[in-house]
Amino acid sequence: MKRKYIFSLIFALATLGVFYFLQPSKKELCQNAFKSMKQIEYDGIVVKKYIDPNHSVPTFIIRKNNSVIEIADFRDLSGLYEYLKVRDSVVKKRDDNSVYVYRFDSRMATFKIDYGCN
């Protein structure tokens, strides 16, 4: 009986160890999210800005012609969300982490999206 208990305990610990070491690290998860963000492209005018009430995620909605894009990015540390105002024009190109903000009073600012993965 005691042998069965010890075997079960060793098996459980070994299984947990395998799962623990096979998981991607936080740094890998962050770098993967950053790569995915770089693939996103958008261009339009900010029509709404809010903190998502369900997940507390900074979110802004942009519109260009008849299309609407919702950008929700809780990882960004650049200050983009805090700077944005409704009526600003935003441009982000694919394969780039720069976002260009053109303010309605003719000011322009550039933000480098930063997830702090380093």
Side-chain angles (χ1 to χ4, degrees), residues 42 44-50 59-62 71 76 79-91 99-104 109 111:
Y42 52 86
I45 296 175
V46 177
V47 294
K48 187 175 182 182
K49 177 183 160 183
Y50 61 96
T59 306
F60 59 95
I61 297 175
I62 61 174
I71 307 295
D76 179 33
L80 170 66
Y81 178 81
E82 291 79 8
Y83 181 81
L84 278 180
K85 292 183 179 181
V86 172
R87 296 185 7 204
D88 285 348
S89 179
V90 293
V91 177
V99 178
Y100 303 95
V101 179
Y102 301 92
R103 180 100 348 129
F104 48 87
F111 292 86

Side-chain angles (χ1 to χ4, degrees), residues 18 33 36 62 73 81 109-110:
V18 167
S36 294
I62 61 174
D73 197 349
Y81 178 81
T110 303

Side-chain angles (χ1 to χ4, degrees), residues 92-109:
K92 184 196 167 298
K93 301 290 185 191
R94 187 178 316 276
D95 293 324
D96 191 7
N97 68 322
S98 296
V99 178
Y100 303 95
V101 179
Y102 301 92
R103 180 100 348 129
F104 48 87
D105 64 4
S106 74
R107 277 186 281 164
M108 195 275 264

Side-chain angles (χ1 to χ4, degrees), residues 27-83:
K27 185 175 182 177
E28 288 173 313
L29 291 172
C30 182
Q31 289 170 338
N32 289 339
F34 187 75
K35 286 178 189 174
S36 294
M37 175 280 304
K38 284 182 73 172
Q39 296 306 307
I40 297 171
E41 181 174 43
Y42 52 86
D43 174 8
I45 296 175
V46 177
V47 294
K48 187 175 182 182
K49 177 183 160 183
Y50 61 96
I51 301 291
D52 182 302
N54 296 321
H55 305 288
S56 298
V57 176
T59 306
F60 59 95
I61 297 175
I62 61 174
R63 175 174 285 149
K64 182 167 185 177
N65 301 328
N66 291 330
S67 64
V68 174
I69 301 171
E70 182 179 64
I71 307 295
D73 197 349
F74 67 94
R75 295 178 188 256
D76 179 33
L77 305 173
S78 71
L80 170 66
Y81 178 81
E82 291 79 8
Y83 181 81

